[in-house]
Amino acid sequence: GGGGGADGEHTAHSLLHTVCTLHDEQAAQIANGYEGAARGEVVADSLAPLQQAQQQVLREMDALAALGNTVPLSMQELSVHVSLLPRLRLQLHALELLARHQERALLQQQYERPPPLLQREQCAPELLRLVVVEQSGFPGVMAKGRKTIPVVRVQLLAAPHVEVLDVGAASALVYTESTVEEQLNGGTSAAARDHDDAFDVLDRNATVSAVPLAAAPRAASSATVSDLLGDPTDHEFTYDPATAAHTAQVRMLFSGGTRRGAVRARITAKATVRVGGGGAGGGERVLQVLSDYTEPFAVVTHEVQWEDAAREVFRALVFAEASQVRWERFANALQRFFLVTVPQEVDGAAGGGGGGGG
């Protein structure tokens, strides 16, 4: 089957440039929205632009997914493609939190007593989102106790009417691919997304990593961090006043292997917040937040396990829940997997970066 050739290269360059431009415009819209919320501005028709922006971000993510599936990308294009996805995912979460805030403010204007929407605002997804923004060393095969430790960086987003008082140390939960596939096959209801440990809001339409994001199962369905991490050092969140961002870097140091098959991780933490406005929707509370999934990976304890582990991780990256894929997707995934897994053999790619964006 013939490739896109010059036409494909032009399509990729044009699309990536367009999405980068739209990303910058959306970033400005989000910044203006949070600044307006801080000033207490409530505009009756403010919801429509936020909802339109959410749909636009979803279209961009769909376009990027289609590009990676149908056009062979150069190394530079692939790097931009991979870095855009987590940035768009972060914007989608921020836009949804802004929309929640506007809905809340409009309802408070209309009712003297809190309506049901405010009364059920006890659930964390209405208030906070924990988003994976960068992954170093993913997707790939990791060695037990290796010197170059993979890192997952997460950012905590809060709705404008939520003040984050404190965030506990971040830790990780590890899920097998079979567990993830069970979630996909079972589907995710709106009620599950509203559960206090369900933070993924992209499972409706977008394939962001190798599998569509889905709400987490109960903890009994996953391995805990203590089963795999050799150093349970607390990973504290830091606050940057310039960006008003709470971020944490979780160093994935493993004491044992993951046996056969690929796994994925999710980061979790407890946050103490104060919800503005008083009434049934206000006051202080402690919320457990849970991130979206990392890219697939495997941990080996002996060098002889590398080949089998690499095959399973690559299978998870390429095929996910599909039984067959286009060759363009296979080629892009192979190039990306090679750049992350064998960085020392690629000039300028040292350090295992470029895996999960940033």
Side-chain angles (χ1 to χ4, degrees):
D7 290 341
E9 293 175 9
H10 176 75
T11 299
H13 179 80
S14 176
L15 176 61
L16 292 172
H17 177 75
T18 299
V19 174
C20 285
T21 301
L22 291 170
H23 171 272
D24 293 342
E25 294 174 357
Q26 289 149 194
Q29 180 182 6
I30 292 169
N32 291 335
Y34 270 84
E35 290 172 4
R39 293 191 298 267
E41 296 178 359
V42 182
V43 183
D45 59 353
S46 59
L47 268 179
L50 291 173
Q51 293 167 344
Q52 292 169 3
Q54 292 175 47
Q55 294 303 313
Q56 176 60 38
V57 172
L58 286 171
R59 286 193 293 270
E60 294 163 23
M61 296 172 75
D62 287 342
L64 288 177
L67 180 67
N69 290 338
T70 58
V71 177
L73 303 176
S74 68
M75 187 184 301
Q76 183 178 19
E77 290 167 344
L78 187 61
S79 177
V80 175
H81 182 274
V82 170
S83 71
L84 276 171
L85 288 171
R87 289 154 59 189
L88 290 174
R89 184 164 61 240
L90 189 70
Q91 288 189 335
L92 184 59
H93 283 282
L95 287 166
E96 291 199 340
L97 288 172
L98 271 174
R100 298 284 194 276
H101 170 78
Q102 289 296 331
E103 290 174 354
R104 183 181 194 275
L106 290 170
L107 287 170
Q108 283 182 322
Q109 280 189 341
Q110 297 173 18
Y111 297 92
E112 293 183 6
R113 300 183 62 182
L117 175 63
L118 296 186
Q119 293 176 9
R120 79 178 174 84
E121 203 182 42
Q122 309 294 328
C123 58
E126 302 284 342
L127 308 173
L128 298 173
R129 305 286 168 83
L130 188 63
V131 188
V132 173
V133 294
E134 187 175 358
Q135 303 172 55
S136 174
F138 296 79
V141 179
M142 304 163 189
K144 179 186 75 170
R146 75 182 208 177
K147 294 181 180 179
T148 304
I149 301 173
V151 175
V152 179
R153 187 164 69 90
V154 291
Q155 180 172 337
L156 182 69
L157 292 177
H161 60 282
V162 176
E163 179 186 0
V164 179
L165 304 176
D166 181 62
V167 188
S171 59
L173 296 173
V174 178
Y175 298 82
T176 65
E177 279 295 302
S178 59
T179 301
V180 176
E181 289 178 7
E182 286 173 7
Q183 297 169 41
L184 295 177
N185 294 334
T188 305
S189 65
R193 288 197 300 272
D194 282 344
H195 195 277
D196 59 358
D197 68 354
F199 272 79
D200 296 325
V201 297
L202 305 182
D203 56 322
R204 297 185 298 275
N205 303 306
T207 300
V208 180
S209 53
V211 295
L213 301 179
R218 300 301 297 168
S221 300
S222 68
T224 63
V225 65
S226 60
D227 295 326
L228 292 172
L229 300 191
D231 181 10
T233 303
D234 289 344
H235 307 282
E236 302 290 344
F237 277 79
T238 59
Y239 178 72
D240 182 0
T243 60
H246 292 81
T247 60
Q249 298 197 68
V250 181
R251 291 157 51 85
M252 308 287 280
L253 179 62
F254 297 92
S255 64
T258 54
R259 303 196 181 109
R260 294 176 179 266
V263 297
R264 295 173 188 267
R266 304 178 83 180
I267 309 304
T268 183
K270 287 186 178 180
T272 303
V273 301
R274 178 184 294 119
V275 181
E284 289 188 17
R285 65 191 63 137
V286 178
L287 300 172
Q288 187 83 28
V289 292
L290 185 66
S291 78
D292 42 339
Y293 290 105
T294 65
E295 298 281 13
F297 65 97
V299 182
V300 298
T301 56
H302 302 286
E303 187 176 342
V304 295
Q305 299 170 338
W306 194 95
E307 183 177 342
D308 287 342
R311 181 178 62 249
E312 293 305 315
V313 173
F314 184 64
R315 189 201 309 274
L317 178 67
V318 176
F319 292 98
E321 74 280 10
S323 58
Q324 55 184 337
V325 297
R326 291 173 60 106
W327 73 266
E328 294 92 343
R329 175 185 172 96
F330 185 93
N332 290 332
L334 181 61
Q335 179 178 208
R336 182 181 174 200
F337 188 68
F338 176 78
L339 292 175
V340 177
T341 307
V342 198
Q344 68 275 14
E345 296 184 12
V346 182
D347 185 30

